[in-house]
């Protein structure tokens, strides 16, 4: 699955495939699934939360450094020519992480979802 988001006026592709978890482990020496699960579960879907609930839940549950790493991994999977994580982030004047968390959620779901019913 691939999506494109506009960040700082640039069209940035993000992609999920079978290599995402391995790329994340190779770059950050952490397990992607464990990091995703460490963000905690909620009784409501993110899209069902009120804006204040979203901000409160994110503040309590999301390690934003980890989410920058996840975003970079999806971007690197879509475009193998991008630089290391810090150089990539420095290429943006603005990187509104709160604006991209929700759109990237679908990629996270595809990465960890099971096809079993």
């Amino acid at each position: 699955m691939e999506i494109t988001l506009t960040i700082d006026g640039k069209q940035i592709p993000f992609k999920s495939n079978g290599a995402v978890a391995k790329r994340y482990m190779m770059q950050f020496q952490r397990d992607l699934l464990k990091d995703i699960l460490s963000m905690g579960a909620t009784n409501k879907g993110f899209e069902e939360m009120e804006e204040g609930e979203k901000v409160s839940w994110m503040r309590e549950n999301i390690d934003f450094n980890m989410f920058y790493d996840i975003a970079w991994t999806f971007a690197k999977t879509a475009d193998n020519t991008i630089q290391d994580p810090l150089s990539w982030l420095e290429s943006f004047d603005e990187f509104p992480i709160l604006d991209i968390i929700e759109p990237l959620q679908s990629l996270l779901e595809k990465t960890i979802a099971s096809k079993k019913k």
Side-chain angles (χ1 to χ4, degrees):
M1 176 177 186
E2 188 167 348
I3 62 173
T4 301
L5 301 175
T6 302
I7 302 174
D8 196 28
K10 304 172 189 175
Q11 295 291 304
I12 308 296
F14 294 89
K15 184 176 182 179
S16 176
N17 65 25
V20 165
K22 190 70 167 170
R23 182 184 308 276
Y24 186 84
M25 175 62 84
M26 291 170 61
Q27 181 67 37
F28 302 109
Q29 290 75 53
R30 295 192 321 264
D31 184 280
L32 177 63
L33 184 57
K34 285 181 183 177
D35 281 356
I36 291 169
L37 293 175
S38 75
M39 286 192 270
T42 178
N43 294 334
K44 289 184 183 178
F46 198 75
E47 61 282 347
E48 297 169 4
M49 291 181 186
E50 298 293 325
E51 198 60 37
E53 285 180 290
K54 288 180 183 179
V55 171
S56 178
W57 183 85
M58 287 188 296
R59 190 177 302 127
E60 294 172 13
N61 293 290
I62 294 179
D63 174 345
F64 286 97
N65 285 316
M66 178 183 62
F67 205 87
Y68 284 116
D69 295 346
I70 291 170
W72 177 88
T73 303
F74 286 139
K76 182 72 170 179
T77 302
D79 177 3
N80 199 36
T81 65
I82 69 168
Q83 302 166 313
D84 64 274
L86 186 57
S87 297
W88 181 67
L89 288 167
E90 286 178 334
S91 73
F92 300 98
D93 288 330
E94 296 178 359
F95 196 89
I97 194 73
L98 291 177
D99 293 343
I100 69 166
I101 286 175
E102 195 166 353
L104 290 182
Q105 181 180 1
S106 60
L107 292 179
L108 285 171
E109 290 169 0
K110 290 290 184 185
T111 300
I112 63 173
S114 171
K115 292 196 181 251
K116 285 187 172 184
K117 299 277 180 188

